[in-house]
Amino acid sequence: QVHLVESGGGLVQPGGSLSLSCAASGSIFRIYNMEWYRQAPGKQRELVAIIARIGSTDYADSAKGRFTISRDNAKNTVYLQMNSLKHEAPAVYLCNVDIKTIAGRRFVSWGRGTQVTVSS
C-alpha cells in the first residue's frame, strides 16, 4: 500500500510564489520518475514538470524559467517551487509517482491534489 499526500497549495497573488510538496509513504522500495500535473476545471490534465531518480528534469513550456522541480529520495518527496505565478483559472496540482514496492510490484500512483489559485 502506497499513499501520496500533496501540500502547499493555496491562494496567491499574481507574481507571487508557492511551494508544493508531495510525500509518498508505504511499502516503497524505490521511486523512479516523479511528476507534477495541473488540472483546471473542464480541462485536460497537463504535465507541468518531471524529475527522474537521478535528478534530470524537464518542464512544460509554460513552466520553464518560473518553476523548479526537485526531490529528496531519502524522504520519498517531490517538490515544486512555483515563482512568478500568473493570473489564471484555479487548478489542482497533482503528483504522479512511478513506484516499486518492497514486494516487487511496480505501478504509477496519483495523489489527490492540492488547489492553487492565483488571483488578486
Side-chain angles (χ1 to χ4, degrees):
Q1 194 81 333
V2 173
H3 299 281
L4 298 180
V5 178
E6 297 103 331
S7 61
L11 172 65
V12 63
Q13 291 187 341
S17 299
L18 277 178
S19 181
L20 308 182
S21 64
C22 172
S25 62
S27 303
I28 298 169
F29 172 72
R30 180 163 293 162
I31 296 179
Y32 300 93
N33 285 356
M34 304 181 87
E35 303 171 347
W36 282 100
Y37 286 75
R38 68 184 300 273
Q39 186 164 25
K43 294 194 174 182
Q44 283 191 327
R45 192 171 292 181
E46 56 181 357
L47 180 64
V48 176
I50 180 171
I51 184 167
R53 180 170 179 80
I54 61 172
S56 55
T57 60
D58 200 7
Y59 297 89
D61 287 343
S62 60
K64 288 178 181 177
R66 300 188 300 124
F67 294 2
T68 301
I69 188 171
S70 60
R71 64 189 287 168
D72 185 332
N73 289 334
K75 295 181 179 180
N76 293 328
T77 300
V78 60
Y79 306 94
L80 186 68
Q81 177 64 41
M82 303 188 294
N83 299 326
S84 303
L85 284 163
K86 300 178 179 179
H87 185 280
E88 53 192 357
V92 175
Y93 281 72
L94 308 100
C95 64
N96 173 287
V97 176
D98 183 356
I99 294 174
K100 186 174 185 178
T101 67
I102 293 173
R105 287 182 60 222
R106 184 165 176 176
F107 55 89
V108 172
S109 183
W110 287 91
R112 292 189 173 185
T114 184
Q115 179 84 25
V116 172
T117 301
V118 184
S119 177
S120 54

